[in-house]
Amino acid sequence: MIDIPAPCRLRLDGAALVANWQTLNRMSGRAACGAAVKADGYGLGATGVATRLATAGCRDFFVATWAEAQALAPLGLSVSVLHGVRAEDMPAALAGFARPVLNTPAQIARWREAGGGMCDVMVDTGMNRLGISADDIAAGLIDGLAIDTLMSHLACADEDSPMNEMQRTRFAALTGRTAARRMSLANSAGIGLGEGYAFDLTRPGLALYGGVPRDDMAGAIRQVVFPEAQVLQRRMVRAGESVGYNATWVATEDTEVAIVNLGYADGYFRAFSNQGVVYFDDAILPVIGRVSMDLIALDVGAAPNLAEEEWLVIDYHLPSQSRLTGMSQYELLTSLGTRFGRPVP
Ligand SMILES: *Cc1c(COP(=O)(O)O)cnc(C)c1O
């Protein structure tokens, strides 16, 4: 096979990734700080992210599925599978490279019958997503299980909602009522609610990768992902001419335009049309016209020296680009396509 460098690539700032984890670890107070690396490390590459964070001192990792856990198995880390165990998952679950987060009475029964060992348990405290109820616990549903972590998940931690305190109170009421070694409630946004939400272990995902779930965390979190793409063609578009599909941008004066290797297939969606911004050194280059499947056009009037085959940095500052496009920061991160080269952070 010939090594063919991609025409778009992700620059991953590994130092920023580690700094974000250290910040979240500090904000977690006495609680340990883990890392959610599901969805391939939110799109950045789970193996690279987990390796880097483990070196920094992170000890607890969370994925959604057993396939994701298996991909991390060679690293020998402590991994929890948030979606628990379906019947189809049992061979993997009994292989011992991760432990399930049991979410339902059926999953608990399955785990007991198989003589499964250490597990985690999810209890629902008001989100009504995954988890057994506090009543199930009171009725003895998890008695006798070897439980590492009892966890719950906050519905509204990115807002100042009364739900937060309600869920925290319901969860705290379970302290000492189970055999769990540890309790864990907070995701990234939950860490921002204060140490009262940290319990024994926190589970940030988004903020590790540069997402800012609450405005009050903006100063503390660094950008980690910098998509870059290459110029294919530079052209002059005369006043009155249009650019791109459906001619949504029309030149009001003669305009220098660059066509760049990036589009829907890379996760650069339609919402960036006539809105996105790209940088060449200090020059700010607006996206003009509609994003194509694999291409965008830029007004490069501010970069007279920009040549074909030069590399540009796409503005992918998550909170601001989320506001700009109406896409969530999670959607932005996890949409970055497979054509990007993904270096180890
Ligand atoms: C995804 C997930 C997290 C991480 O959430 P972020 O908002 O990305 O910090 C934590 N806990 C559970 C149960 C999750 O599903």
Side-chain angles (χ1 to χ4, degrees):
M1 292 285 276
I2 304 167
D3 179 42
I4 307 170
C8 54
R9 63 193 181 199
L10 295 181
R11 183 161 66 78
L12 301 180
D13 186 340
L17 174 72
V18 168
N20 288 341
W21 180 78
Q22 288 168 336
T23 296
L24 295 160
N25 188 30
R26 208 175 312 116
M27 290 173 74
S28 300
R30 282 201 302 275
C33 182
V37 295
K38 60 200 185 196
D40 199 23
Y42 287 49
L44 307 198
T47 298
V49 165
T51 302
R52 187 80 197 226
L53 293 180
T55 305
C58 182
R59 289 292 167 262
D60 298 276
F61 295 85
F62 301 89
V63 296
T65 69
W66 288 92
E68 292 175 351
Q70 187 164 38
L72 294 179
L75 303 181
L77 303 170
S78 169
V79 176
S80 296
V81 180
L82 291 165
H83 294 187
V85 274
R86 302 168 305 158
E88 301 91 313
D89 295 324
M90 286 307 288
L94 293 172
F97 52 73
R99 57 178 191 271
V101 180
L102 303 176
N103 290 295
T104 68
Q107 289 185 356
I108 289 166
R110 182 174 293 132
W111 194 243
R112 279 190 200 280
E113 276 160 31
M118 191 66 85
C119 62
D120 299 326
V121 171
M122 176 69 73
V123 56
D124 182 66
T125 51
M127 187 177 187
N128 286 299
R129 198 175 66 171
L130 291 175
I132 60 171
S133 68
D135 287 347
D136 290 331
I137 291 176
L141 182 66
I142 61 173
D143 289 359
L145 285 176
I147 305 172
D148 183 293
T149 304
L150 179 70
M151 58 183 87
S152 190
H153 196 59
L154 296 163
C156 305
D158 56 350
E159 303 174 308
D160 291 322
S161 158
M163 276 276 290
N164 295 326
E165 180 55 22
M166 187 192 80
Q167 288 193 270
R168 196 193 69 78
T169 304
R170 287 180 178 174
F171 190 57
L174 296 170
T175 306
R177 305 276 289 277
T178 74
R181 287 177 48 231
R182 303 187 291 181
M183 293 178 70
S184 173
L185 178 62
N187 62 347
S188 302
I191 293 171
L193 293 175
E195 285 185 31
Y197 287 78
F199 291 86
D200 303 308
L201 171 66
T202 58
R203 312 186 303 267
L206 182 73
L208 293 171
Y209 310 111
V212 180
R214 299 176 53 87
D215 287 345
D216 51 21
M217 296 170 81
I221 298 299
R222 285 168 57 182
Q223 185 172 348
V224 174
V225 195
F226 298 84
E228 300 178 341
Q230 218 170 3
V231 176
L232 282 174
Q233 185 170 20
R234 186 179 170 125
R235 61 167 65 248
M236 161 70 82
V237 176
R238 295 291 173 197
E241 294 279 312
S242 67
V243 170
Y245 282 126
N246 307 105
T248 64
W249 185 88
V250 177
T252 54
E253 57 189 342
D254 290 357
T255 306
E256 287 287 327
V257 172
I259 309 301
V260 176
N261 239 301
L262 193 73
Y264 301 142
D266 307 302
Y268 203 73
F269 292 129
R270 186 183 174 105
F272 286 98
S273 301
N274 287 305
Q275 295 220 83
V277 165
V278 174
Y279 302 105
F280 179 60
D281 296 332
D282 292 338
I284 297 173
L285 313 176
V287 173
I288 58 175
R290 182 157 295 166
V291 175
S292 297
M293 181 160 158
D294 317 283
L295 296 167
I296 55 172
L298 307 174
D299 176 343
V300 295
N305 302 324
L306 176 66
E308 292 175 356
E309 302 188 12
E310 207 111 48
W311 286 87
L312 305 175
V313 180
I314 317 302
D315 188 341
Y316 221 70
H317 179 251
L318 294 169
S320 65
Q321 298 309 292
S322 167
R323 279 190 292 275
L324 181 80
T325 60
M327 293 170 64
S328 77
Q329 298 178 68
Y330 300 88
E331 289 176 290
L332 289 171
L333 275 174
T334 57
S335 297
L336 291 165
T338 53
R339 285 198 294 211
F340 282 106
R342 273 172 180 69
V344 175

